[in-house]
Every structure is written in C-alpha cells, then in structure tokens.
Amino acid sequence: DVEVVFRRLSPGKLASLLSPGVDRIAEDIVADIAPAGAAQGAVGAGKAVLRGLDPAQQAELLALRHRFVAGLTRDMQANVRQLVDFDEIVVGGMVREKQLLIDLFQRCGKAELAFLVNSGFSFGCALGVVQMLIW
C-alpha cells in the first residue's frame, strides 16, 4: 500500500535531505513575485540580511527550516491520498508510454509468452495431424 510505504519515510531524515533546497526554492519564489528587474536585488538583499544575522539567529533559522520541512512531510504522510492520484500517475503513464507498457509486459511475461508460442505450435501440429487423418 502506498500510504504504508510513504509513512515509512522519516520526516527528520527527509527534512535533512530536502532543507538545503528550500533556499533555492525561496529564491525562485522571490524572483517570480518580485517586479520585473527587481528580482536580483530582492534576492541579494535577502541573502545580505541572512548573512548579517548572528550565529545563534542563523542556527535558529536553520532549525525552523528543518522543523517546517519535517512538519510538511508529516502532513503529506497523513494526506497522501488527497495529494497524489497514484492510479492516474500509473495508468496515465502507461497510456502515454505505450512502448514502456509493451516492454514491461514482454519482460515480465517472457516465460509465459514462450509457453504460449511453443504450446500453440505443438497443439497446432497435433490438431493438424488429427485433421489430416480425418480427411
């Protein structure tokens, strides 16, 4: 079950892995919402303010970022079915990537397909001999 697998993710560990990317995402958001031409200045000003913080404040900001990402992960774990339609992802992906579906079917059913081909040939020959004898 997807929910069980998603719940096995450690929010703390995931937050440690994803937290460094939060700064880049924040910069992208500022660049998107800032007036044209002011994005570079806004991002630069934000970075300057962050560099101007004393070490205790910077540590508190890093801890806050970690808690935010961990909390977001917990919320996503609790509501994974509302956030992601896994059926649409899988079925939609297979419909769009027909060759992938064919390759998957051939790889997974290789032994079964070989049996069907071989047994079809054998049964076809046997039935052909019986039909030949009847005529």
Side-chain angles (χ1 to χ4, degrees):
D1 187 21
V2 174
E3 289 181 46
V4 173
V5 171
F6 204 77
R7 281 193 196 120
R8 287 181 16 204
L9 294 173
S10 167
K13 187 172 183 179
L14 196 60
S16 296
L17 294 170
L18 297 178
S19 289
V22 171
D23 294 341
R24 184 185 45 78
I25 293 169
E27 290 175 15
D28 291 345
I29 291 171
V30 169
D32 286 346
I33 63 174
Q40 291 281 337
V43 170
K47 286 181 178 180
V49 168
L50 291 175
R51 281 192 301 267
L53 296 175
D54 66 58
Q57 291 171 324
Q58 288 182 1
E60 178 60 30
L61 192 59
L62 290 175
L64 178 66
R65 180 179 69 184
H66 188 272
R67 284 194 308 270
F68 171 77
V69 175
L72 180 65
T73 302
R74 281 189 287 278
D75 287 346
M76 289 174 60
Q77 287 174 323
N79 300 297
V80 69
R81 291 280 179 201
Q82 290 81 18
L83 295 171
V84 182
D85 184 0
F86 292 101
D87 293 333
E88 172 58 30
I89 290 172
V90 173
V91 173
M94 292 298 178
V95 168
R96 284 187 300 279
E97 300 289 333
K98 291 175 181 60
Q99 188 60 46
L100 178 64
L101 180 60
I102 292 167
D103 293 344
L104 181 65
F105 183 76
Q106 288 177 339
R107 189 176 329 133
C108 293
K110 190 173 189 172
E112 290 80 4
L113 287 171
F115 171 76
L116 288 173
V117 169
N118 294 336
S119 64
F121 178 75
S122 301
F123 288 130
C125 286
L127 289 174
V129 168
V130 170
Q131 187 177 15
M132 188 173 66
L133 293 174
I134 292 175
W135 283 91

